[in-house]
Amino acid sequence: MKKTFKIDADCANCANLMEEAANNTKGVKNATVNFMTLKMIVEFEDGQDYKAVMKNVRERCRKVDDDCEVFL
């Protein structure tokens, strides 16, 4: 399953770090962040509860920078 989420990032480097954080989260098969559109596309592993996985993604992305946010 793939879902698209709106993000808030101040710079392209933060967006890249958010993408890396999402890709290193259990339950995420693949994540791509587009800084120009401020969107994150996440493909989840089969059988995963995407809401629970995205809660973890959000927490990891906030650690990148206080201003980084993923809107669910």
Side-chain angles (χ1 to χ4, degrees):
M1 167 187 353
K2 278 188 183 180
K3 291 211 169 265
T4 302
F5 302 91
K6 185 173 170 38
I7 65 164
D8 186 19
D10 290 338
C11 65
N13 185 52
C14 287
N16 285 337
L17 292 172
M18 289 174 73
E19 179 176 289
E20 185 177 313
N23 275 311
N24 289 324
T25 303
K26 184 178 178 185
V28 174
K29 187 173 186 179
N30 185 48
T32 306
V33 172
N34 186 318
F35 177 66
M36 296 300 289
T37 62
L38 292 176
K39 291 188 179 176
M40 176 186 287
I41 300 170
V42 181
E43 183 177 1
F44 300 93
E45 293 177 356
D46 292 336
Q48 294 293 318
D49 175 17
Y50 84 90
K51 290 180 183 179
V53 173
M54 284 309 296
K55 181 180 177 188
N56 292 332
V57 169
R58 243 179 129 185
E59 289 173 9
R60 286 175 174 252
C61 287
R62 283 187 182 149
K63 290 179 183 177
V64 168
D65 190 284
D66 291 340
D67 295 333
C68 292
E69 181 67 63
V70 179
F71 300 100
L72 304 180

